PDB file of all heavy atoms in Angstrom:
ATOM      1  N   ILE A   2       0.888  -1.172   0.000  1.00 89.00           N
ATOM      2  CA  ILE A   2       0.000   0.000   0.000  1.00 89.00           C
ATOM      3  C   ILE A   2       0.922   1.218   0.000  1.00 89.00           C
ATOM      4  O   ILE A   2       1.903   1.259   0.731  1.00 89.00           O
ATOM      5  CB  ILE A   2      -0.866   0.038   1.272  1.00 89.00           C
ATOM      6  CG1 ILE A   2      -1.679  -1.219   1.400  1.00 89.00           C
ATOM      7  CG2 ILE A   2      -1.682   1.313   1.331  1.00 89.00           C
ATOM      8  CD1 ILE A   2      -3.095  -1.142   0.967  1.00 89.00           C
ATOM      9  N   VAL A   3       0.592   2.203  -0.813  1.00 92.00           N
ATOM     10  CA  VAL A   3       1.336   3.464  -0.821  1.00 92.00           C
ATOM     11  C   VAL A   3       0.477   4.509  -0.128  1.00 92.00           C
ATOM     12  O   VAL A   3      -0.710   4.640  -0.416  1.00 92.00           O
ATOM     13  CB  VAL A   3       1.655   3.929  -2.264  1.00 92.00           C
ATOM     14  CG1 VAL A   3       2.342   5.285  -2.252  1.00 92.00           C
ATOM     15  CG2 VAL A   3       2.526   2.904  -2.977  1.00 92.00           C
ATOM     16  N   LYS A   4       1.076   5.218   0.821  1.00 88.00           N
ATOM     17  CA  LYS A   4       0.410   6.331   1.491  1.00 88.00           C
ATOM     18  C   LYS A   4       1.386   7.489   1.564  1.00 88.00           C
ATOM     19  O   LYS A   4       2.548   7.349   1.186  1.00 88.00           O
ATOM     20  CB  LYS A   4      -0.097   5.929   2.873  1.00 88.00           C
ATOM     21  CG  LYS A   4       1.013   5.590   3.865  1.00 88.00           C
ATOM     22  CD  LYS A   4       0.526   5.574   5.291  1.00 88.00           C
ATOM     23  CE  LYS A   4       0.318   6.999   5.694  1.00 88.00           C
ATOM     24  NZ  LYS A   4       0.105   7.288   7.071  1.00 88.00           N
ATOM     25  N   PHE A   5       0.918   8.616   2.050  1.00 87.00           N
ATOM     26  CA  PHE A   5       1.757   9.801   2.094  1.00 87.00           C
ATOM     27  C   PHE A   5       2.001  10.233   3.530  1.00 87.00           C
ATOM     28  O   PHE A   5       1.097  10.166   4.370  1.00 87.00           O
ATOM     29  CB  PHE A   5       1.124  10.917   1.267  1.00 87.00           C
ATOM     30  CG  PHE A   5       0.970  10.521  -0.173  1.00 87.00           C
ATOM     31  CD1 PHE A   5      -0.205   9.971  -0.636  1.00 87.00           C
ATOM     32  CD2 PHE A   5       2.044  10.634  -1.050  1.00 87.00           C
ATOM     33  CE1 PHE A   5      -0.339   9.567  -1.959  1.00 87.00           C
ATOM     34  CE2 PHE A   5       1.927  10.220  -2.370  1.00 87.00           C
ATOM     35  CZ  PHE A   5       0.731   9.685  -2.825  1.00 87.00           C
ATOM     36  N   ALA A   6       3.222  10.671   3.814  1.00 83.00           N
ATOM     37  CA  ALA A   6       3.615  11.069   5.158  1.00 83.00           C
ATOM     38  C   ALA A   6       2.682  12.140   5.695  1.00 83.00           C
ATOM     39  O   ALA A   6       2.329  13.080   4.993  1.00 83.00           O
ATOM     40  CB  ALA A   6       5.060  11.570   5.149  1.00 83.00           C
ATOM     41  N   GLY A   7       2.268  11.966   6.940  1.00 79.00           N
ATOM     42  CA  GLY A   7       1.401  12.928   7.594  1.00 79.00           C
ATOM     43  C   GLY A   7      -0.068  12.649   7.417  1.00 79.00           C
ATOM     44  O   GLY A   7      -0.893  13.219   8.121  1.00 79.00           O
ATOM     45  N   CYS A   8      -0.431  11.771   6.498  1.00 80.00           N
ATOM     46  CA  CYS A   8      -1.842  11.447   6.278  1.00 80.00           C
ATOM     47  C   CYS A   8      -2.282  10.350   7.241  1.00 80.00           C
ATOM     48  O   CYS A   8      -1.540   9.428   7.527  1.00 80.00           O
ATOM     49  CB  CYS A   8      -2.083  11.011   4.836  1.00 80.00           C
ATOM     50  SG  CYS A   8      -1.853  12.337   3.643  1.00 80.00           S
ATOM     51  N   TYR A   9      -3.498  10.458   7.720  1.00 75.00           N
ATOM     52  CA  TYR A   9      -4.043   9.515   8.694  1.00 75.00           C
ATOM     53  C   TYR A   9      -5.222   8.774   8.057  1.00 75.00           C
ATOM     54  O   TYR A   9      -6.094   9.394   7.452  1.00 75.00           O
ATOM     55  CB  TYR A   9      -4.502  10.273   9.940  1.00 75.00           C
ATOM     56  CG  TYR A   9      -5.189   9.407  10.954  1.00 75.00           C
ATOM     57  CD1 TYR A   9      -4.458   8.506  11.717  1.00 75.00           C
ATOM     58  CD2 TYR A   9      -6.557   9.477  11.135  1.00 75.00           C
ATOM     59  CE1 TYR A   9      -5.085   7.695  12.651  1.00 75.00           C
ATOM     60  CE2 TYR A   9      -7.193   8.674  12.058  1.00 75.00           C
ATOM     61  CZ  TYR A   9      -6.450   7.789  12.810  1.00 75.00           C
ATOM     62  OH  TYR A   9      -7.072   6.983  13.730  1.00 75.00           O
ATOM     63  N   HIS A  10      -5.233   7.454   8.218  1.00 72.00           N
ATOM     64  CA  HIS A  10      -6.276   6.634   7.603  1.00 72.00           C
ATOM     65  C   HIS A  10      -6.893   5.655   8.591  1.00 72.00           C
ATOM     66  O   HIS A  10      -7.322   4.575   8.214  1.00 72.00           O
ATOM     67  CB  HIS A  10      -5.704   5.872   6.399  1.00 72.00           C
ATOM     68  CG  HIS A  10      -5.125   6.772   5.362  1.00 72.00           C
ATOM     69  ND1 HIS A  10      -5.911   7.523   4.516  1.00 72.00           N
ATOM     70  CD2 HIS A  10      -3.845   7.081   5.067  1.00 72.00           C
ATOM     71  CE1 HIS A  10      -5.135   8.241   3.717  1.00 72.00           C
ATOM     72  NE2 HIS A  10      -3.880   7.994   4.034  1.00 72.00           N
ATOM     73  N   GLY A  11      -6.918   6.012   9.852  1.00 67.00           N
ATOM     74  CA  GLY A  11      -7.514   5.154  10.865  1.00 67.00           C
ATOM     75  C   GLY A  11      -6.494   4.294  11.586  1.00 67.00           C
ATOM     76  O   GLY A  11      -5.319   4.285  11.257  1.00 67.00           O
ATOM     77  N   HIS A  12      -6.969   3.587  12.578  1.00 66.00           N
ATOM     78  CA  HIS A  12      -6.086   2.767  13.398  1.00 66.00           C
ATOM     79  C   HIS A  12      -5.944   1.355  12.834  1.00 66.00           C
ATOM     80  O   HIS A  12      -6.385   0.371  13.406  1.00 66.00           O
ATOM     81  CB  HIS A  12      -6.595   2.723  14.837  1.00 66.00           C
ATOM     82  CG  HIS A  12      -6.216   3.927  15.610  1.00 66.00           C
ATOM     83  ND1 HIS A  12      -6.789   5.154  15.388  1.00 66.00           N
ATOM     84  CD2 HIS A  12      -5.288   4.111  16.574  1.00 66.00           C
ATOM     85  CE1 HIS A  12      -6.248   6.036  16.203  1.00 66.00           C
ATOM     86  NE2 HIS A  12      -5.329   5.432  16.930  1.00 66.00           N
ATOM     87  N   SER A  13      -5.333   1.268  11.695  1.00 67.00           N
ATOM     88  CA  SER A  13      -4.967   0.000  11.073  1.00 67.00           C
ATOM     89  C   SER A  13      -3.448  -0.045  11.123  1.00 67.00           C
ATOM     90  O   SER A  13      -2.790   0.914  10.716  1.00 67.00           O
ATOM     91  CB  SER A  13      -5.463  -0.017   9.621  1.00 67.00           C
ATOM     92  OG  SER A  13      -4.891  -1.089   8.922  1.00 67.00           O
ATOM     93  N   ASP A  14      -2.881  -1.120  11.658  1.00 60.00           N
ATOM     94  CA  ASP A  14      -1.437  -1.170  11.871  1.00 60.00           C
ATOM     95  C   ASP A  14      -0.626  -0.697  10.667  1.00 60.00           C
ATOM     96  O   ASP A  14       0.258   0.135  10.795  1.00 60.00           O
ATOM     97  CB  ASP A  14      -0.983  -2.581  12.255  1.00 60.00           C
ATOM     98  CG  ASP A  14      -1.253  -2.910  13.716  1.00 60.00           C
ATOM     99  OD1 ASP A  14      -1.700  -2.010  14.455  1.00 60.00           O
ATOM    100  OD2 ASP A  14      -1.021  -4.063  14.105  1.00 60.00           O
ATOM    101  N   ALA A  15      -0.921  -1.223   9.501  1.00 61.00           N
ATOM    102  CA  ALA A  15      -0.122  -0.888   8.321  1.00 61.00           C
ATOM    103  C   ALA A  15      -0.230   0.589   7.967  1.00 61.00           C
ATOM    104  O   ALA A  15       0.700   1.173   7.424  1.00 61.00           O
ATOM    105  CB  ALA A  15      -0.556  -1.736   7.126  1.00 61.00           C
ATOM    106  N   LEU A  16      -1.349   1.213   8.280  1.00 63.00           N
ATOM    107  CA  LEU A  16      -1.557   2.601   7.886  1.00 63.00           C
ATOM    108  C   LEU A  16      -1.115   3.604   8.933  1.00 63.00           C
ATOM    109  O   LEU A  16      -1.126   4.810   8.684  1.00 63.00           O
ATOM    110  CB  LEU A  16      -3.036   2.819   7.538  1.00 63.00           C
ATOM    111  CG  LEU A  16      -3.558   1.889   6.446  1.00 63.00           C
ATOM    112  CD1 LEU A  16      -5.025   2.150   6.185  1.00 63.00           C
ATOM    113  CD2 LEU A  16      -2.743   2.021   5.173  1.00 63.00           C
ATOM    114  N   LEU A  17      -0.685   3.146  10.108  1.00 58.00           N
ATOM    115  CA  LEU A  17      -0.175   4.057  11.120  1.00 58.00           C
ATOM    116  C   LEU A  17       1.264   4.477  10.848  1.00 58.00           C
ATOM    117  O   LEU A  17       1.794   5.340  11.528  1.00 58.00           O
ATOM    118  CB  LEU A  17      -0.283   3.423  12.518  1.00 58.00           C
ATOM    119  CG  LEU A  17      -1.696   3.372  13.089  1.00 58.00           C
ATOM    120  CD1 LEU A  17      -1.711   2.577  14.382  1.00 58.00           C
ATOM    121  CD2 LEU A  17      -2.231   4.771  13.320  1.00 58.00           C
ATOM    122  N   ALA A  18       1.893   3.901   9.852  1.00 57.00           N
ATOM    123  CA  ALA A  18       3.255   4.291   9.489  1.00 57.00           C
ATOM    124  C   ALA A  18       3.264   5.748   9.060  1.00 57.00           C
ATOM    125  O   ALA A  18       2.551   6.136   8.152  1.00 57.00           O
ATOM    126  CB  ALA A  18       3.766   3.411   8.349  1.00 57.00           C
ATOM    127  N   ALA A  19       4.057   6.564   9.749  1.00 58.00           N
ATOM    128  CA  ALA A  19       4.202   7.988   9.444  1.00 58.00           C
ATOM    129  C   ALA A  19       2.859   8.695   9.314  1.00 58.00           C
ATOM    130  O   ALA A  19       2.669   9.532   8.456  1.00 58.00           O
ATOM    131  CB  ALA A  19       5.039   8.191   8.185  1.00 58.00           C
ATOM    132  N   ALA A  20       1.927   8.373  10.219  1.00 54.00           N
ATOM    133  CA  ALA A  20       0.592   8.975  10.153  1.00 54.00           C
ATOM    134  C   ALA A  20       0.568  10.405  10.671  1.00 54.00           C
ATOM    135  O   ALA A  20      -0.300  11.172  10.328  1.00 54.00           O
ATOM    136  CB  ALA A  20      -0.407   8.130  10.945  1.00 54.00           C
ATOM    137  N   GLY A  21       1.504  10.741  11.517  1.00 52.00           N
ATOM    138  CA  GLY A  21       1.589  12.115  11.990  1.00 52.00           C
ATOM    139  C   GLY A  21       0.906  12.375  13.308  1.00 52.00           C
ATOM    140  O   GLY A  21       1.403  13.137  14.101  1.00 52.00           O
ATOM    141  N   SER A  22      -0.232  11.768  13.596  1.00 48.00           N
ATOM    142  CA  SER A  22      -1.001  12.153  14.777  1.00 48.00           C
ATOM    143  C   SER A  22      -0.268  11.871  16.086  1.00 48.00           C
ATOM    144  O   SER A  22      -0.259  12.710  16.967  1.00 48.00           O
ATOM    145  CB  SER A  22      -2.370  11.482  14.780  1.00 48.00           C
ATOM    146  OG  SER A  22      -2.246  10.080  14.758  1.00 48.00           O
ATOM    147  N   GLY A  23       0.347  10.702  16.228  1.00 47.00           N
ATOM    148  CA  GLY A  23       1.068  10.419  17.461  1.00 47.00           C
ATOM    149  C   GLY A  23       2.256  11.338  17.650  1.00 47.00           C
ATOM    150  O   GLY A  23       2.487  11.884  18.720  1.00 47.00           O
ATOM    151  N   VAL A  24       2.981  11.564  16.606  1.00 46.00           N
ATOM    152  CA  VAL A  24       4.153  12.433  16.664  1.00 46.00           C
ATOM    153  C   VAL A  24       3.719  13.883  16.895  1.00 46.00           C
ATOM    154  O   VAL A  24       4.303  14.602  17.689  1.00 46.00           O
ATOM    155  CB  VAL A  24       4.966  12.316  15.358  1.00 46.00           C
ATOM    156  CG1 VAL A  24       6.128  13.285  15.369  1.00 46.00           C
ATOM    157  CG2 VAL A  24       5.483  10.903  15.195  1.00 46.00           C
ATOM    158  N   ALA A  25       2.667  14.302  16.214  1.00 44.00           N
ATOM    159  CA  ALA A  25       2.238  15.691  16.287  1.00 44.00           C
ATOM    160  C   ALA A  25       1.596  16.039  17.623  1.00 44.00           C
ATOM    161  O   ALA A  25       1.761  17.142  18.124  1.00 44.00           O
ATOM    162  CB  ALA A  25       1.257  15.992  15.151  1.00 44.00           C
ATOM    163  N   THR A  26       0.859  15.098  18.223  1.00 41.00           N
ATOM    164  CA  THR A  26       0.087  15.447  19.412  1.00 41.00           C
ATOM    165  C   THR A  26       0.593  14.837  20.704  1.00 41.00           C
ATOM    166  O   THR A  26       0.387  15.414  21.762  1.00 41.00           O
ATOM    167  CB  THR A  26      -1.393  15.024  19.246  1.00 41.00           C
ATOM    168  OG1 THR A  26      -1.447  13.608  19.068  1.00 41.00           O
ATOM    169  CG2 THR A  26      -2.030  15.708  18.062  1.00 41.00           C
ATOM    170  N   GLY A  27       1.240  13.687  20.647  1.00 43.00           N
ATOM    171  CA  GLY A  27       1.611  13.016  21.887  1.00 43.00           C
ATOM    172  C   GLY A  27       3.086  12.740  22.050  1.00 43.00           C
ATOM    173  O   GLY A  27       3.485  12.106  23.012  1.00 43.00           O
ATOM    174  N   GLY A  28       3.907  13.160  21.131  1.00 41.00           N
ATOM    175  CA  GLY A  28       5.324  12.884  21.213  1.00 41.00           C
ATOM    176  C   GLY A  28       5.646  11.405  21.114  1.00 41.00           C
ATOM    177  O   GLY A  28       6.629  10.937  21.673  1.00 41.00           O
ATOM    178  N   LEU A  29       4.805  10.640  20.422  1.00 45.00           N
ATOM    179  CA  LEU A  29       4.999   9.201  20.314  1.00 45.00           C
ATOM    180  C   LEU A  29       5.665   8.841  18.994  1.00 45.00           C
ATOM    181  O   LEU A  29       5.502   9.549  18.005  1.00 45.00           O
ATOM    182  CB  LEU A  29       3.641   8.495  20.385  1.00 45.00           C
ATOM    183  CG  LEU A  29       2.800   8.799  21.618  1.00 45.00           C
ATOM    184  CD1 LEU A  29       1.401   8.225  21.464  1.00 45.00           C
ATOM    185  CD2 LEU A  29       3.473   8.276  22.864  1.00 45.00           C
ATOM    186  N   PRO A  30       6.385   7.714  18.954  1.00 43.00           N
ATOM    187  CA  PRO A  30       6.949   7.259  17.681  1.00 43.00           C
ATOM    188  C   PRO A  30       5.849   7.059  16.646  1.00 43.00           C
ATOM    189  O   PRO A  30       4.737   6.666  16.992  1.00 43.00           O
ATOM    190  CB  PRO A  30       7.620   5.928  18.033  1.00 43.00           C
ATOM    191  CG  PRO A  30       7.824   5.973  19.504  1.00 43.00           C
ATOM    192  CD  PRO A  30       6.712   6.824  20.054  1.00 43.00           C
ATOM    193  N   GLY A  31       6.149   7.295  15.394  1.00 56.00           N
ATOM    194  CA  GLY A  31       5.162   7.188  14.329  1.00 56.00           C
ATOM    195  C   GLY A  31       4.546   5.812  14.186  1.00 56.00           C
ATOM    196  O   GLY A  31       3.413   5.685  13.754  1.00 56.00           O
ATOM    197  N   SER A  32       5.272   4.757  14.531  1.00 56.00           N
ATOM    198  CA  SER A  32       4.757   3.405  14.333  1.00 56.00           C
ATOM    199  C   SER A  32       4.994   2.524  15.557  1.00 56.00           C
ATOM    200  O   SER A  32       5.264   1.355  15.429  1.00 56.00           O
ATOM    201  CB  SER A  32       5.425   2.770  13.102  1.00 56.00           C
ATOM    202  OG  SER A  32       5.147   3.511  11.957  1.00 56.00           O
ATOM    203  N   ALA A  33       4.907   3.081  16.737  1.00 62.00           N
ATOM    204  CA  ALA A  33       5.155   2.297  17.952  1.00 62.00           C
ATOM    205  C   ALA A  33       4.193   1.119  18.035  1.00 62.00           C
ATOM    206  O   ALA A  33       2.993   1.275  17.856  1.00 62.00           O
ATOM    207  CB  ALA A  33       4.986   3.173  19.182  1.00 62.00           C
ATOM    208  N   GLY A  34       4.727  -0.074  18.260  1.00 68.00           N
ATOM    209  CA  GLY A  34       3.904  -1.257  18.429  1.00 68.00           C
ATOM    210  C   GLY A  34       3.462  -1.928  17.149  1.00 68.00           C
ATOM    211  O   GLY A  34       2.828  -2.961  17.189  1.00 68.00           O
ATOM    212  N   VAL A  35       3.773  -1.349  16.029  1.00 67.00           N
ATOM    213  CA  VAL A  35       3.399  -1.951  14.753  1.00 67.00           C
ATOM    214  C   VAL A  35       4.509  -2.913  14.340  1.00 67.00           C
ATOM    215  O   VAL A  35       5.662  -2.515  14.235  1.00 67.00           O
ATOM    216  CB  VAL A  35       3.176  -0.882  13.662  1.00 67.00           C
ATOM    217  CG1 VAL A  35       2.861  -1.534  12.329  1.00 67.00           C
ATOM    218  CG2 VAL A  35       2.066   0.068  14.069  1.00 67.00           C
ATOM    219  N   PRO A  36       4.190  -4.180  14.099  1.00 72.00           N
ATOM    220  CA  PRO A  36       5.218  -5.149  13.718  1.00 72.00           C
ATOM    221  C   PRO A  36       5.957  -4.738  12.440  1.00 72.00           C
ATOM    222  O   PRO A  36       5.334  -4.215  11.501  1.00 72.00           O
ATOM    223  CB  PRO A  36       4.427  -6.443  13.486  1.00 72.00           C
ATOM    224  CG  PRO A  36       3.174  -6.262  14.271  1.00 72.00           C
ATOM    225  CD  PRO A  36       2.872  -4.797  14.204  1.00 72.00           C
ATOM    226  N   THR A  37       7.241  -4.977  12.404  1.00 72.00           N
ATOM    227  CA  THR A  37       8.064  -4.624  11.245  1.00 72.00           C
ATOM    228  C   THR A  37       7.527  -5.260   9.967  1.00 72.00           C
ATOM    229  O   THR A  37       7.490  -4.619   8.917  1.00 72.00           O
ATOM    230  CB  THR A  37       9.522  -5.064  11.473  1.00 72.00           C
ATOM    231  OG1 THR A  37       9.995  -4.438  12.666  1.00 72.00           O
ATOM    232  CG2 THR A  37      10.408  -4.661  10.319  1.00 72.00           C
ATOM    233  N   ALA A  38       7.080  -6.502  10.047  1.00 76.00           N
ATOM    234  CA  ALA A  38       6.563  -7.191   8.859  1.00 76.00           C
ATOM    235  C   ALA A  38       5.324  -6.494   8.302  1.00 76.00           C
ATOM    236  O   ALA A  38       5.113  -6.466   7.093  1.00 76.00           O
ATOM    237  CB  ALA A  38       6.244  -8.644   9.191  1.00 76.00           C
ATOM    238  N   VAL A  39       4.527  -5.899   9.176  1.00 74.00           N
ATOM    239  CA  VAL A  39       3.318  -5.196   8.736  1.00 74.00           C
ATOM    240  C   VAL A  39       3.684  -3.852   8.126  1.00 74.00           C
ATOM    241  O   VAL A  39       3.220  -3.500   7.039  1.00 74.00           O
ATOM    242  CB  VAL A  39       2.332  -5.020   9.920  1.00 74.00           C
ATOM    243  CG1 VAL A  39       1.163  -4.143   9.520  1.00 74.00           C
ATOM    244  CG2 VAL A  39       1.847  -6.371  10.398  1.00 74.00           C
ATOM    245  N   SER A  40       4.530  -3.085   8.820  1.00 74.00           N
ATOM    246  CA  SER A  40       4.888  -1.769   8.299  1.00 74.00           C
ATOM    247  C   SER A  40       5.715  -1.874   7.023  1.00 74.00           C
ATOM    248  O   SER A  40       5.723  -0.946   6.211  1.00 74.00           O
ATOM    249  CB  SER A  40       5.615  -0.932   9.353  1.00 74.00           C
ATOM    250  OG  SER A  40       6.813  -1.544   9.749  1.00 74.00           O
ATOM    251  N   ALA A  41       6.354  -3.015   6.802  1.00 79.00           N
ATOM    252  CA  ALA A  41       7.136  -3.211   5.573  1.00 79.00           C
ATOM    253  C   ALA A  41       6.233  -3.286   4.341  1.00 79.00           C
ATOM    254  O   ALA A  41       6.692  -3.123   3.220  1.00 79.00           O
ATOM    255  CB  ALA A  41       7.978  -4.476   5.673  1.00 79.00           C
ATOM    256  N   GLN A  42       4.937  -3.488   4.558  1.00 85.00           N
ATOM    257  CA  GLN A  42       3.996  -3.555   3.437  1.00 85.00           C
ATOM    258  C   GLN A  42       3.399  -2.189   3.102  1.00 85.00           C
ATOM    259  O   GLN A  42       2.554  -2.071   2.240  1.00 85.00           O
ATOM    260  CB  GLN A  42       2.884  -4.555   3.741  1.00 85.00           C
ATOM    261  CG  GLN A  42       3.396  -5.971   3.815  1.00 85.00           C
ATOM    262  CD  GLN A  42       2.298  -6.953   4.137  1.00 85.00           C
ATOM    263  OE1 GLN A  42       1.390  -6.676   4.904  1.00 85.00           O
ATOM    264  NE2 GLN A  42       2.379  -8.113   3.520  1.00 85.00           N
ATOM    265  N   THR A  43       3.857  -1.156   3.805  1.00 85.00           N
ATOM    266  CA  THR A  43       3.382   0.199   3.564  1.00 85.00           C
ATOM    267  C   THR A  43       4.544   1.056   3.083  1.00 85.00           C
ATOM    268  O   THR A  43       5.551   1.177   3.763  1.00 85.00           O
ATOM    269  CB  THR A  43       2.788   0.814   4.847  1.00 85.00           C
ATOM    270  OG1 THR A  43       1.761  -0.035   5.331  1.00 85.00           O
ATOM    271  CG2 THR A  43       2.223   2.201   4.574  1.00 85.00           C
ATOM    272  N   ILE A  44       4.396   1.631   1.911  1.00 88.00           N
ATOM    273  CA  ILE A  44       5.394   2.553   1.382  1.00 88.00           C
ATOM    274  C   ILE A  44       4.905   3.959   1.697  1.00 88.00           C
ATOM    275  O   ILE A  44       3.779   4.323   1.340  1.00 88.00           O
ATOM    276  CB  ILE A  44       5.558   2.383  -0.142  1.00 88.00           C
ATOM    277  CG1 ILE A  44       6.050   0.967  -0.469  1.00 88.00           C
ATOM    278  CG2 ILE A  44       6.497   3.446  -0.705  1.00 88.00           C
ATOM    279  CD1 ILE A  44       6.044   0.654  -1.957  1.00 88.00           C
TER     280      ILE A  44
END
């Protein structure tokens, strides 16, 4: 799946990669808790 940095598409593990909301509002890592194998399927 291709998405764009800063865009948010809901709480689906693969789509939380570089979603912006955690980093922008809570100081959290962009993909905390998302398995590497899942985030590897998101460009």
Side-chain angles (χ1 to χ4, degrees):
I2 302 260
V3 176
K4 66 164 286 192
F5 299 94
C8 292
Y9 175 73
H10 302 286
H12 279 72
S13 168
D14 281 355
L16 303 179
L17 286 173
S22 59
V24 176
T26 61
L29 304 171
S32 299
V35 177
T37 302
V39 173
S40 61
Q42 293 179 324
T43 304
I44 298 172

